[in-house]
mmCIF file of all heavy atoms in Angstrom:
data_model
loop_
_atom_site.group_PDB
_atom_site.id
_atom_site.type_symbol
_atom_site.label_atom_id
_atom_site.label_comp_id
_atom_site.label_asym_id
_atom_site.label_seq_id
_atom_site.Cartn_x
_atom_site.Cartn_y
_atom_site.Cartn_z
ATOM 1 N N MET A 1 16.354 -4.094 123.185
ATOM 2 C CA MET A 1 16.355 -4.608 121.814
ATOM 3 C C MET A 1 15.765 -3.596 120.835
ATOM 4 O O MET A 1 16.207 -3.505 119.686
ATOM 5 C CB MET A 1 15.590 -5.929 121.745
ATOM 6 C CG MET A 1 16.197 -7.061 122.571
ATOM 7 S SD MET A 1 17.960 -7.345 122.256
ATOM 8 C CE MET A 1 17.934 -7.902 120.541
ATOM 9 N N SER A 2 14.784 -2.828 121.275
ATOM 10 C CA SER A 2 14.214 -1.790 120.406
ATOM 11 C C SER A 2 15.264 -0.746 120.052
ATOM 12 O O SER A 2 15.295 -0.239 118.930
ATOM 13 C CB SER A 2 13.015 -1.126 121.086
ATOM 14 O OG SER A 2 11.962 -2.053 121.273
ATOM 15 N N SER A 3 16.116 -0.424 121.017
ATOM 16 C CA SER A 3 17.165 0.556 120.759
ATOM 17 C C SER A 3 18.188 0.039 119.756
ATOM 18 O O SER A 3 18.939 0.818 119.162
ATOM 19 C CB SER A 3 17.876 0.931 122.071
ATOM 20 O OG SER A 3 18.674 -0.153 122.548
ATOM 21 N N LYS A 4 18.214 -1.270 119.556
ATOM 22 C CA LYS A 4 19.109 -1.896 118.580
ATOM 23 C C LYS A 4 18.378 -2.246 117.279
ATOM 24 O O LYS A 4 18.880 -3.002 116.456
ATOM 25 C CB LYS A 4 19.752 -3.145 119.190
ATOM 26 C CG LYS A 4 20.578 -2.862 120.443
ATOM 27 C CD LYS A 4 21.159 -4.135 121.012
ATOM 28 C CE LYS A 4 21.920 -3.848 122.315
ATOM 29 N NZ LYS A 4 23.076 -2.940 122.090
ATOM 30 N N ASN A 5 17.162 -1.700 117.142
ATOM 31 C CA ASN A 5 16.347 -1.898 115.948
ATOM 32 C C ASN A 5 15.881 -3.348 115.786
ATOM 33 O O ASN A 5 15.708 -3.837 114.670
ATOM 34 C CB ASN A 5 17.094 -1.442 114.675
ATOM 35 C CG ASN A 5 16.144 -1.174 113.537
ATOM 36 O OD1 ASN A 5 15.108 -0.530 113.732
ATOM 37 N ND2 ASN A 5 16.464 -1.651 112.358
ATOM 38 N N TRP A 6 15.658 -4.023 116.903
ATOM 39 C CA TRP A 6 15.112 -5.380 116.894
ATOM 40 C C TRP A 6 13.641 -5.318 117.291
ATOM 41 O O TRP A 6 13.230 -4.460 118.079
ATOM 42 C CB TRP A 6 15.851 -6.262 117.890
ATOM 43 C CG TRP A 6 17.142 -6.834 117.387
ATOM 44 C CD1 TRP A 6 18.250 -6.139 116.987
ATOM 45 C CD2 TRP A 6 17.473 -8.216 117.266
ATOM 46 N NE1 TRP A 6 19.253 -6.998 116.625
ATOM 47 C CE2 TRP A 6 18.803 -8.297 116.793
ATOM 48 C CE3 TRP A 6 16.789 -9.398 117.529
ATOM 49 C CZ2 TRP A 6 19.448 -9.496 116.559
ATOM 50 C CZ3 TRP A 6 17.425 -10.613 117.307
ATOM 51 C CH2 TRP A 6 18.740 -10.663 116.820
ATOM 52 N N GLU A 7 12.881 -6.259 116.775
ATOM 53 C CA GLU A 7 11.498 -6.440 117.186
ATOM 54 C C GLU A 7 11.438 -7.589 118.188
ATOM 55 O O GLU A 7 12.067 -8.632 117.988
ATOM 56 C CB GLU A 7 10.632 -6.771 115.970
ATOM 57 C CG GLU A 7 9.177 -7.045 116.302
ATOM 58 C CD GLU A 7 8.379 -7.495 115.091
ATOM 59 O OE1 GLU A 7 8.994 -7.783 114.036
ATOM 60 O OE2 GLU A 7 7.141 -7.594 115.206
ATOM 61 N N VAL A 8 10.683 -7.405 119.270
ATOM 62 C CA VAL A 8 10.496 -8.460 120.266
ATOM 63 C C VAL A 8 9.042 -8.905 120.229
ATOM 64 O O VAL A 8 8.126 -8.084 120.369
ATOM 65 C CB VAL A 8 10.863 -7.977 121.687
ATOM 66 C CG1 VAL A 8 10.627 -9.101 122.708
ATOM 67 C CG2 VAL A 8 12.318 -7.528 121.735
ATOM 68 N N VAL A 9 8.836 -10.202 120.028
ATOM 69 C CA VAL A 9 7.494 -10.777 119.969
ATOM 70 C C VAL A 9 7.332 -11.761 121.119
ATOM 71 O O VAL A 9 8.166 -12.653 121.297
ATOM 72 C CB VAL A 9 7.256 -11.508 118.630
ATOM 73 C CG1 VAL A 9 5.861 -12.122 118.605
ATOM 74 C CG2 VAL A 9 7.430 -10.554 117.463
ATOM 75 N N HIS A 10 6.283 -11.580 121.913
ATOM 76 C CA HIS A 10 6.025 -12.483 123.030
ATOM 77 C C HIS A 10 4.921 -13.461 122.667
ATOM 78 O O HIS A 10 3.880 -13.066 122.140
ATOM 79 C CB HIS A 10 5.610 -11.693 124.278
ATOM 80 C CG HIS A 10 5.094 -12.568 125.382
ATOM 81 N ND1 HIS A 10 3.831 -12.431 125.918
ATOM 82 C CD2 HIS A 10 5.665 -13.623 126.022
ATOM 83 C CE1 HIS A 10 3.658 -13.346 126.861
ATOM 84 N NE2 HIS A 10 4.746 -14.076 126.935
ATOM 85 N N ARG A 11 5.147 -14.740 122.966
ATOM 86 C CA ARG A 11 4.137 -15.755 122.757
ATOM 87 C C ARG A 11 4.097 -16.693 123.960
ATOM 88 O O ARG A 11 5.127 -17.008 124.558
ATOM 89 C CB ARG A 11 4.423 -16.585 121.494
ATOM 90 C CG ARG A 11 4.284 -15.794 120.193
ATOM 91 C CD ARG A 11 2.855 -15.428 119.915
ATOM 92 N NE ARG A 11 2.700 -14.643 118.698
ATOM 93 C CZ ARG A 11 2.671 -13.332 118.642
ATOM 94 N NH1 ARG A 11 2.764 -12.635 119.765
ATOM 95 N NH2 ARG A 11 2.528 -12.697 117.502
ATOM 96 N N VAL A 12 2.890 -17.113 124.319
ATOM 97 C CA VAL A 12 2.717 -18.093 125.393
ATOM 98 C C VAL A 12 2.704 -19.479 124.765
ATOM 99 O O VAL A 12 1.905 -19.759 123.864
ATOM 100 C CB VAL A 12 1.403 -17.850 126.161
ATOM 101 C CG1 VAL A 12 1.210 -18.914 127.233
ATOM 102 C CG2 VAL A 12 1.408 -16.459 126.775
ATOM 103 N N MET A 13 3.587 -20.344 125.245
ATOM 104 C CA MET A 13 3.692 -21.706 124.715
ATOM 105 C C MET A 13 3.769 -22.663 125.907
ATOM 106 O O MET A 13 4.837 -22.795 126.509
ATOM 107 C CB MET A 13 4.935 -21.832 123.819
ATOM 108 C CG MET A 13 4.917 -23.025 122.901
ATOM 109 S SD MET A 13 6.248 -22.943 121.670
ATOM 110 C CE MET A 13 7.654 -23.504 122.629
ATOM 111 N N PRO A 14 2.679 -23.289 126.308
ATOM 112 C CA PRO A 14 2.676 -24.120 127.526
ATOM 113 C C PRO A 14 3.641 -25.300 127.428
ATOM 114 O O PRO A 14 3.314 -26.341 126.875
ATOM 115 C CB PRO A 14 1.218 -24.602 127.618
ATOM 116 C CG PRO A 14 0.433 -23.647 126.791
ATOM 117 C CD PRO A 14 1.340 -23.243 125.679
ATOM 118 N N PHE A 15 4.827 -25.105 127.997
ATOM 119 C CA PHE A 15 5.846 -26.158 127.932
ATOM 120 C C PHE A 15 6.250 -26.659 129.313
ATOM 121 O O PHE A 15 6.967 -27.653 129.430
ATOM 122 C CB PHE A 15 7.096 -25.643 127.215
ATOM 123 C CG PHE A 15 7.681 -24.376 127.799
ATOM 124 C CD1 PHE A 15 8.464 -24.393 128.949
ATOM 125 C CD2 PHE A 15 7.447 -23.155 127.192
ATOM 126 C CE1 PHE A 15 8.991 -23.240 129.485
ATOM 127 C CE2 PHE A 15 7.973 -21.979 127.727
ATOM 128 C CZ PHE A 15 8.753 -22.024 128.860
ATOM 129 N N GLN A 16 5.764 -26.007 130.381
ATOM 130 C CA GLN A 16 6.279 -26.289 131.714
ATOM 131 C C GLN A 16 6.091 -27.747 132.134
ATOM 132 O O GLN A 16 6.971 -28.351 132.734
ATOM 133 C CB GLN A 16 5.612 -25.367 132.736
ATOM 134 C CG GLN A 16 6.370 -25.247 134.040
ATOM 135 C CD GLN A 16 7.762 -24.673 133.870
ATOM 136 O OE1 GLN A 16 7.948 -23.689 133.181
ATOM 137 N NE2 GLN A 16 8.751 -25.299 134.468
ATOM 138 N N ASN A 17 4.942 -28.328 131.804
ATOM 139 C CA ASN A 17 4.676 -29.704 132.222
ATOM 140 C C ASN A 17 4.724 -30.701 131.068
ATOM 141 O O ASN A 17 4.289 -31.838 131.211
ATOM 142 C CB ASN A 17 3.297 -29.770 132.898
ATOM 143 C CG ASN A 17 3.240 -28.922 134.162
ATOM 144 O OD1 ASN A 17 4.150 -28.960 134.982
ATOM 145 N ND2 ASN A 17 2.174 -28.139 134.306
ATOM 146 N N ALA A 18 5.237 -30.263 129.934
ATOM 147 C CA ALA A 18 5.305 -31.147 128.761
ATOM 148 C C ALA A 18 6.313 -32.263 128.990
ATOM 149 O O ALA A 18 7.412 -32.032 129.507
ATOM 150 C CB ALA A 18 5.674 -30.342 127.530
ATOM 151 N N LYS A 19 5.926 -33.467 128.618
ATOM 152 C CA LYS A 19 6.804 -34.630 128.759
ATOM 153 C C LYS A 19 7.607 -34.898 127.489
ATOM 154 O O LYS A 19 8.580 -35.645 127.502
ATOM 155 C CB LYS A 19 5.976 -35.875 129.100
ATOM 156 C CG LYS A 19 5.119 -35.733 130.360
ATOM 157 C CD LYS A 19 5.960 -35.461 131.599
ATOM 158 C CE LYS A 19 5.088 -35.367 132.851
ATOM 159 N NZ LYS A 19 5.896 -35.009 134.049
ATOM 160 N N ALA A 20 7.183 -34.285 126.385
ATOM 161 C CA ALA A 20 7.864 -34.465 125.101
ATOM 162 C C ALA A 20 7.570 -33.249 124.234
ATOM 163 O O ALA A 20 6.566 -32.560 124.441
ATOM 164 C CB ALA A 20 7.394 -35.745 124.412
ATOM 165 N N PRO A 21 8.443 -32.942 123.257
ATOM 166 C CA PRO A 21 8.180 -31.813 122.354
ATOM 167 C C PRO A 21 6.849 -31.982 121.631
ATOM 168 O O PRO A 21 6.434 -33.100 121.324
ATOM 169 C CB PRO A 21 9.364 -31.869 121.378
ATOM 170 C CG PRO A 21 10.465 -32.538 122.152
ATOM 171 C CD PRO A 21 9.762 -33.560 123.005
ATOM 172 N N ARG A 22 6.183 -30.864 121.348
ATOM 173 C CA ARG A 22 4.875 -30.898 120.713
ATOM 174 C C ARG A 22 4.923 -30.245 119.338
ATOM 175 O O ARG A 22 5.710 -29.317 119.098
ATOM 176 C CB ARG A 22 3.841 -30.187 121.607
ATOM 177 C CG ARG A 22 3.666 -30.857 122.949
ATOM 178 C CD ARG A 22 2.759 -30.061 123.866
ATOM 179 N NE ARG A 22 2.601 -30.718 125.165
ATOM 180 C CZ ARG A 22 1.950 -30.195 126.198
ATOM 181 N NH1 ARG A 22 1.411 -28.984 126.078
ATOM 182 N NH2 ARG A 22 1.847 -30.846 127.336
ATOM 183 N N LYS A 23 4.049 -30.705 118.475
ATOM 184 C CA LYS A 23 4.009 -30.209 117.100
ATOM 185 C C LYS A 23 3.722 -28.719 117.048
ATOM 186 O O LYS A 23 4.249 -27.997 116.193
ATOM 187 C CB LYS A 23 2.949 -30.980 116.305
ATOM 188 C CG LYS A 23 2.904 -30.615 114.831
ATOM 189 C CD LYS A 23 1.878 -31.445 114.097
ATOM 190 C CE LYS A 23 1.839 -31.068 112.618
ATOM 191 N NZ LYS A 23 0.833 -31.882 111.883
ATOM 192 N N ILE A 24 2.892 -28.228 117.965
ATOM 193 C CA ILE A 24 2.531 -26.814 117.958
ATOM 194 C C ILE A 24 3.742 -25.911 118.191
ATOM 195 O O ILE A 24 3.758 -24.753 117.774
ATOM 196 C CB ILE A 24 1.427 -26.525 119.004
ATOM 197 C CG1 ILE A 24 0.808 -25.149 118.745
ATOM 198 C CG2 ILE A 24 1.993 -26.623 120.429
ATOM 199 C CD1 ILE A 24 -0.404 -24.859 119.589
ATOM 200 N N TRP A 25 4.779 -26.450 118.839
ATOM 201 C CA TRP A 25 5.992 -25.664 119.024
ATOM 202 C C TRP A 25 6.618 -25.342 117.675
ATOM 203 O O TRP A 25 7.077 -24.219 117.443
ATOM 204 C CB TRP A 25 6.990 -26.412 119.910
ATOM 205 C CG TRP A 25 6.490 -26.687 121.293
ATOM 206 C CD1 TRP A 25 5.295 -26.298 121.822
ATOM 207 C CD2 TRP A 25 7.168 -27.419 122.316
ATOM 208 N NE1 TRP A 25 5.187 -26.743 123.120
ATOM 209 C CE2 TRP A 25 6.315 -27.437 123.456
ATOM 210 C CE3 TRP A 25 8.389 -28.064 122.398
ATOM 211 C CZ2 TRP A 25 6.667 -28.062 124.639
ATOM 212 C CZ3 TRP A 25 8.748 -28.702 123.579
ATOM 213 C CH2 TRP A 25 7.895 -28.700 124.690
ATOM 214 N N ASP A 26 6.642 -26.313 116.780
ATOM 215 C CA ASP A 26 7.167 -26.078 115.430
ATOM 216 C C ASP A 26 6.298 -25.065 114.687
ATOM 217 O O ASP A 26 6.813 -24.245 113.920
ATOM 218 C CB ASP A 26 7.222 -27.392 114.645
ATOM 219 C CG ASP A 26 8.201 -28.391 115.243
ATOM 220 O OD1 ASP A 26 9.250 -27.950 115.752
ATOM 221 O OD2 ASP A 26 7.904 -29.593 115.216
ATOM 222 N N GLU A 27 4.999 -25.116 114.925
ATOM 223 C CA GLU A 27 4.094 -24.184 114.252
ATOM 224 C C GLU A 27 4.354 -22.752 114.706
ATOM 225 O O GLU A 27 4.321 -21.822 113.904
ATOM 226 C CB GLU A 27 2.642 -24.585 114.523
ATOM 227 C CG GLU A 27 2.258 -25.936 113.909
ATOM 228 C CD GLU A 27 0.866 -26.386 114.325
ATOM 229 O OE1 GLU A 27 0.207 -25.650 115.092
ATOM 230 O OE2 GLU A 27 0.449 -27.481 113.897
ATOM 231 N N HIS A 28 4.602 -22.581 116.011
ATOM 232 C CA HIS A 28 4.954 -21.257 116.527
ATOM 233 C C HIS A 28 6.203 -20.735 115.812
ATOM 234 O O HIS A 28 6.275 -19.564 115.417
ATOM 235 C CB HIS A 28 5.224 -21.320 118.026
ATOM 236 C CG HIS A 28 4.005 -21.166 118.873
ATOM 237 N ND1 HIS A 28 3.288 -19.996 118.941
ATOM 238 C CD2 HIS A 28 3.372 -22.039 119.703
ATOM 239 C CE1 HIS A 28 2.269 -20.146 119.769
ATOM 240 N NE2 HIS A 28 2.296 -21.378 120.245
ATOM 241 N N LEU A 29 7.180 -21.599 115.661
ATOM 242 C CA LEU A 29 8.449 -21.210 115.047
ATOM 243 C C LEU A 29 8.239 -20.808 113.586
ATOM 244 O O LEU A 29 8.779 -19.807 113.116
ATOM 245 C CB LEU A 29 9.440 -22.369 115.151
ATOM 246 C CG LEU A 29 10.929 -22.029 114.996
ATOM 247 C CD1 LEU A 29 11.347 -21.023 116.048
ATOM 248 C CD2 LEU A 29 11.765 -23.298 115.096
ATOM 249 N N ASP A 30 7.440 -21.575 112.874
ATOM 250 C CA ASP A 30 7.173 -21.274 111.463
ATOM 251 C C ASP A 30 6.415 -19.957 111.311
ATOM 252 O O ASP A 30 6.681 -19.167 110.405
ATOM 253 C CB ASP A 30 6.375 -22.415 110.821
ATOM 254 C CG ASP A 30 7.181 -23.699 110.706
ATOM 255 O OD1 ASP A 30 8.424 -23.609 110.743
ATOM 256 O OD2 ASP A 30 6.574 -24.782 110.605
ATOM 257 N N GLN A 31 5.461 -19.716 112.214
ATOM 258 C CA GLN A 31 4.637 -18.510 112.118
ATOM 259 C C GLN A 31 5.438 -17.243 112.402
ATOM 260 O O GLN A 31 5.270 -16.225 111.734
ATOM 261 C CB GLN A 31 3.467 -18.599 113.092
ATOM 262 C CG GLN A 31 2.413 -19.629 112.699
ATOM 263 C CD GLN A 31 1.387 -19.839 113.798
ATOM 264 O OE1 GLN A 31 1.435 -19.202 114.841
ATOM 265 N NE2 GLN A 31 0.451 -20.755 113.570
ATOM 266 N N GLU A 32 6.316 -17.300 113.401
ATOM 267 C CA GLU A 32 7.024 -16.091 113.833
ATOM 268 C C GLU A 32 8.330 -15.861 113.087
ATOM 269 O O GLU A 32 8.787 -14.724 112.984
ATOM 270 C CB GLU A 32 7.296 -16.144 115.342
ATOM 271 C CG GLU A 32 6.050 -16.306 116.193
ATOM 272 C CD GLU A 32 5.037 -15.201 115.973
ATOM 273 O OE1 GLU A 32 5.427 -14.116 115.497
ATOM 274 O OE2 GLU A 32 3.853 -15.419 116.268
ATOM 275 N N ALA A 33 8.967 -16.915 112.589
ATOM 276 C CA ALA A 33 10.235 -16.819 111.855
ATOM 277 C C ALA A 33 11.245 -15.928 112.583
ATOM 278 O O ALA A 33 11.733 -14.930 112.026
ATOM 279 C CB ALA A 33 9.971 -16.296 110.449
ATOM 280 N N PRO A 34 11.580 -16.252 113.835
ATOM 281 C CA PRO A 34 12.487 -15.389 114.600
ATOM 282 C C PRO A 34 13.943 -15.602 114.215
ATOM 283 O O PRO A 34 14.317 -16.633 113.641
ATOM 284 C CB PRO A 34 12.243 -15.845 116.038
ATOM 285 C CG PRO A 34 11.937 -17.310 115.900
ATOM 286 C CD PRO A 34 11.144 -17.426 114.617
ATOM 287 N N ASP A 35 14.773 -14.615 114.537
ATOM 288 C CA ASP A 35 16.220 -14.762 114.372
ATOM 289 C C ASP A 35 16.832 -15.451 115.588
ATOM 290 O O ASP A 35 17.818 -16.178 115.461
ATOM 291 C CB ASP A 35 16.865 -13.388 114.181
ATOM 292 C CG ASP A 35 16.442 -12.743 112.872
ATOM 293 O OD1 ASP A 35 17.069 -13.040 111.842
ATOM 294 O OD2 ASP A 35 15.474 -11.971 112.884
ATOM 295 N N VAL A 36 16.257 -15.200 116.762
ATOM 296 C CA VAL A 36 16.697 -15.859 117.997
ATOM 297 C C VAL A 36 15.473 -16.104 118.868
ATOM 298 O O VAL A 36 14.434 -15.461 118.698
ATOM 299 C CB VAL A 36 17.744 -15.028 118.784
ATOM 300 C CG1 VAL A 36 19.003 -14.817 117.972
ATOM 301 C CG2 VAL A 36 17.147 -13.702 119.214
ATOM 302 N N ILE A 37 15.612 -17.025 119.815
ATOM 303 C CA ILE A 37 14.543 -17.336 120.769
ATOM 304 C C ILE A 37 15.095 -17.177 122.180
ATOM 305 O O ILE A 37 16.204 -17.634 122.478
ATOM 306 C CB ILE A 37 14.020 -18.774 120.588
ATOM 307 C CG1 ILE A 37 13.454 -18.969 119.182
ATOM 308 C CG2 ILE A 37 12.949 -19.106 121.637
ATOM 309 C CD1 ILE A 37 13.090 -20.421 118.880
ATOM 310 N N VAL A 38 14.316 -16.526 123.043
ATOM 311 C CA VAL A 38 14.649 -16.433 124.464
ATOM 312 C C VAL A 38 13.486 -17.045 125.237
ATOM 313 O O VAL A 38 12.323 -16.683 125.006
ATOM 314 C CB VAL A 38 14.879 -14.976 124.907
ATOM 315 C CG1 VAL A 38 15.088 -14.903 126.418
ATOM 316 C CG2 VAL A 38 16.084 -14.390 124.184
ATOM 317 N N VAL A 39 13.781 -17.967 126.141
ATOM 318 C CA VAL A 39 12.756 -18.698 126.879
ATOM 319 C C VAL A 39 12.870 -18.350 128.360
ATOM 320 O O VAL A 39 13.935 -18.482 128.961
ATOM 321 C CB VAL A 39 12.902 -20.219 126.702
ATOM 322 C CG1 VAL A 39 11.793 -20.945 127.452
ATOM 323 C CG2 VAL A 39 12.881 -20.591 125.225
ATOM 324 N N LEU A 40 11.771 -17.916 128.947
ATOM 325 C CA LEU A 40 11.748 -17.648 130.378
ATOM 326 C C LEU A 40 11.508 -18.951 131.130
ATOM 327 O O LEU A 40 10.502 -19.625 130.918
ATOM 328 C CB LEU A 40 10.648 -16.635 130.716
ATOM 329 C CG LEU A 40 10.468 -16.300 132.198
ATOM 330 C CD1 LEU A 40 11.728 -15.653 132.757
ATOM 331 C CD2 LEU A 40 9.268 -15.383 132.407
ATOM 332 N N MET A 41 12.447 -19.324 131.987
ATOM 333 C CA MET A 41 12.352 -20.522 132.824
ATOM 334 C C MET A 41 12.109 -21.773 131.966
ATOM 335 O O MET A 41 11.101 -22.463 132.089
ATOM 336 C CB MET A 41 11.245 -20.360 133.868
ATOM 337 C CG MET A 41 11.449 -19.208 134.817
ATOM 338 S SD MET A 41 13.046 -19.250 135.692
ATOM 339 C CE MET A 41 12.849 -20.718 136.698
ATOM 340 N N GLY A 42 13.068 -22.040 131.093
ATOM 341 C CA GLY A 42 12.962 -23.202 130.205
ATOM 342 C C GLY A 42 13.120 -24.520 130.934
ATOM 343 O O GLY A 42 13.557 -24.577 132.085
ATOM 344 N N THR A 43 12.770 -25.601 130.255
ATOM 345 C CA THR A 43 12.825 -26.949 130.817
ATOM 346 C C THR A 43 13.697 -27.848 129.939
ATOM 347 O O THR A 43 13.939 -27.534 128.762
ATOM 348 C CB THR A 43 11.417 -27.551 130.896
ATOM 349 O OG1 THR A 43 10.910 -27.724 129.553
ATOM 350 C CG2 THR A 43 10.473 -26.647 131.683
ATOM 351 N N PRO A 44 14.164 -28.982 130.482
ATOM 352 C CA PRO A 44 14.957 -29.905 129.663
ATOM 353 C C PRO A 44 14.224 -30.388 128.411
ATOM 354 O O PRO A 44 14.845 -30.593 127.364
ATOM 355 C CB PRO A 44 15.238 -31.063 130.635
ATOM 356 C CG PRO A 44 15.224 -30.426 131.986
ATOM 357 C CD PRO A 44 14.152 -29.382 131.905
ATOM 358 N N VAL A 45 12.898 -30.569 128.500
ATOM 359 C CA VAL A 45 12.134 -31.017 127.332
ATOM 360 C C VAL A 45 12.160 -29.949 126.241
ATOM 361 O O VAL A 45 12.362 -30.254 125.054
ATOM 362 C CB VAL A 45 10.677 -31.353 127.722
ATOM 363 C CG1 VAL A 45 9.836 -31.631 126.475
ATOM 364 C CG2 VAL A 45 10.646 -32.563 128.650
ATOM 365 N N LEU A 46 11.973 -28.691 126.638
ATOM 366 C CA LEU A 46 12.030 -27.621 125.650
ATOM 367 C C LEU A 46 13.449 -27.472 125.096
ATOM 368 O O LEU A 46 13.644 -27.164 123.916
ATOM 369 C CB LEU A 46 11.567 -26.310 126.270
ATOM 370 C CG LEU A 46 11.375 -25.154 125.278
ATOM 371 C CD1 LEU A 46 10.239 -25.470 124.312
ATOM 372 C CD2 LEU A 46 11.096 -23.854 126.003
ATOM 373 N N ALA A 47 14.454 -27.694 125.953
ATOM 374 C CA ALA A 47 15.844 -27.629 125.497
ATOM 375 C C ALA A 47 16.109 -28.697 124.445
ATOM 376 O O ALA A 47 16.810 -28.447 123.452
ATOM 377 C CB ALA A 47 16.790 -27.793 126.684
#
């Protein structure tokens, strides 16, 4: 992505055992303002 002039930002967001979406997830999104999101080992709740 760097070779394509993109910035990659990594953030830890504990979603693995979440039973429902959390407000802090929206806060992460507002703070980072990404163009796309990539999730390592996502879950149905995060989906």
Side-chain angles (χ1 to χ4, degrees):
M1 297 308 295
S2 295
S3 71
K4 300 179 183 298
N5 200 45
W6 278 62
E7 177 185 10
V8 179
V9 179
H10 170 239
R11 292 291 179 266
V12 178
M13 198 169 80
F15 55 79
Q16 199 61 46
N17 297 315
K19 303 300 182 184
R22 298 174 180 174
K23 185 178 180 180
I24 195 172
W25 298 357
D26 295 324
E27 294 173 0
H28 273 293
L29 200 59
D30 292 339
Q31 290 171 2
E32 303 302 338
D35 293 275
V36 298
I37 300 172
V38 174
V39 182
L40 178 63
M41 299 305 294
T43 65
V45 172
L46 189 65

